[in-house]
Amino acid sequence: MKRMVVVGTQWGDEGKGKITDYLAQKADVVVRYQGGNNAGHTVVIKGEKHSLHLLPSGILSETIENVMANGMVINPKAFVDEIKTIKTPFKLSISDRAHIVLPYHPELDKAYEKHKGDEKIGTTHKGIGPAYTDKAARIGIRVSTFIHKERFYKELKELVEQKNFELSHYDHPNVDFESIYQEYRSYADVMAPYVKDTSVYLNQLIEQDKRILFEGAQGVLLCLDHGTYPYVTSSSPTASSVPLNSGIAPWLVEGAIGVTKAYTTRVGSGPMPSEILGDLAHYIREVGREYGTTTGRPRRIGWLDTVILRHTKRVSGLSYLAVTLLDVLTGIDELKIVTHYELNGKEIDRIPADIEDFMQAKPVYITLPGWKEDITKVTSWEELPIHAKEYLKKIESLVGVPIGMFSVGPDRDQTIMVTNFFE
Ligand code: IMP
């Protein structure tokens, strides 16, 4: 396969950045196709930690082409701050059709969440929902307008007036047009040299037979259409959203690697049937460093749930699985895996659309023996302890997708390919 998507199969934070970084070494191009700086990818290279929020994971390589495609919402201030942290030369293109996140978006995000009280979504407060809302309402500012001084001035002026009206309604402090305009003009100057029609560019790269990796942010359970609505983000991290959000034909996407943790985590509100509470959750959270890259929030912990993985396989498409953080489970005597749910006394193998039903779904588990051996230095499938192999084999058979990769630690060198699918 030459054009693959890296898909988060759970609620985000599956280790996509690490898998993308690993596969990117074999790629010519890395494309971010949705979301914004709500995402947080941690990449560790030779012990050095890099946190990426907006920039594609190929940005740390001097040779890879990086594309921020039309489906993204880009916060220019966050972009400028992040680009300054990249100390090595890089190649980058930004879509002229991507939307811009402006200071009133995070303010509205906070105001809506506050208004929702106990029913809040638990967003990252980065203004992602309000920015996509503007896009759907056809009042958003696109990159092409943002880098055009007069047009940006005119549109921003009208929008600030309208947004302040709404902010006042929520008793929330207003934003100031003049200071936003002055500050953001300077960010537009930094962004402008990278801007182009990335659909045209990507199709040229495809004609040149380049190897392309499409990098999803968040996970399928946070998809606006196929996630646990309303506790979702406002874009679609599925493989099926790639063509629309990057401007290529659907049949040009050749496959998807679904990244899953060896267990489950979730940040923010909403149901999580396999959630573990108490000491074991605390243990896994500490060993797995399960705190948000973007917000620092402690992540909720659960057993691996294969109903979720089969859902992801169906709605997104998955060619292979990449199982991350396998080492975190070392030393736990017994490991549980969700095989299906029970709802109103009936066995179900799907995620109920109604969130109240999903909250009542009871997970049904199988239990497997754990392993005690340190696996952090394992370099091949063969070197894994027998119980770790059995655990992975069980996931493979329950999900019906072969395991193409697994990882046993945060460093790039601790990722192991089982099958060379990206050739
Ligand atoms: P928003 O994307 O900030 O609107 O947040 C909506 C939901 O998606 C919340 O539950 C967030 O915690 C979650 N979310 C957004 N981005 C990420 C991510 O990169 N990893 C994990 N959860 C995320």
Side-chain angles (χ1 to χ4, degrees), residues 65-85:
E65 303 273 349
N66 291 277
V67 177
M68 296 168 74
N70 57 282
M72 285 191 76
V73 287
I74 302 171
N75 179 322
K77 179 173 172 19
F79 171 82
V80 171
D81 287 346
E82 200 168 315
I83 210 107
K84 279 191 205 147
T85 67

Side-chain angles (χ1 to χ4, degrees), residues 241-396:
S241 101
V242 167
L244 177 70
N245 286 316
S246 60
I248 66 164
W251 42 88
L252 293 174
V253 177
E254 295 182 323
I257 172 101
V259 187
T260 174
K261 277 181 179 159
Y263 46 96
T264 308
T265 62
R266 174 167 202 176
V267 270
S269 325
M272 180 181 183
S274 70
E275 185 160 13
I276 312 169
L277 301 168
D279 290 349
L280 182 58
H282 179 73
Y283 171 81
I284 295 177
R285 186 177 301 115
E286 294 309 311
V287 178
R289 297 162 295 274
E290 295 294 359
Y291 293 89
T293 321
T294 304
T295 58
R297 288 181 289 179
R299 295 177 183 145
R300 296 158 66 192
I301 310 287
W303 295 112
L304 188 81
D305 183 337
T306 61
V307 179
I308 283 172
L309 297 181
R310 286 189 295 276
H311 170 87
T312 300
K313 171 185 152 190
R314 192 175 63 250
V315 302
S316 163
L318 299 177
S319 322
Y320 291 94
L321 286 174
V323 181
T324 58
L325 292 126
L326 190 62
D327 54 301
V328 174
L329 298 183
T330 300
I332 301 176
D333 290 340
E334 290 190 326
L335 303 171
K336 291 186 182 185
I337 300 180
V338 177
T339 54
H340 58 276
Y341 302 145
E342 271 175 18
L343 181 65
N344 302 326
K346 287 201 184 108
E347 186 176 308
I348 61 164
D349 184 22
R350 60 181 179 81
I351 296 176
D354 190 289
I355 208 75
E356 301 288 330
D357 284 344
F358 192 29
M359 278 175 184
Q360 281 163 32
K362 299 265 173 303
V364 179
Y365 296 100
I366 51 164
T367 304
L368 278 80
W371 58 91
K372 298 233 176 318
E373 301 87 336
D374 175 13
I375 59 170
T376 55
K377 295 185 183 59
V378 156
T379 56
S380 69
W381 170 269
E382 288 70 33
E383 288 169 44
L384 281 175
I386 180 77
H387 288 158
K389 277 188 195 149
E390 279 170 9
Y391 186 71
L392 292 180
K393 278 280 164 209
K394 187 52 93 182
I395 298 171
E396 202 170 61

Side-chain angles (χ1 to χ4, degrees), residues 192-212:
Y194 303 108
V195 176
K196 60 166 76 114
D197 186 328
T198 52
S199 164
V200 170
Y201 185 51
L202 270 175
N203 279 279
Q204 282 164 355
L205 293 169
I206 291 169
E207 269 171 35
Q208 292 162 19
D209 214 22
K210 299 280 187 199
R211 207 183 305 273
I212 304 180

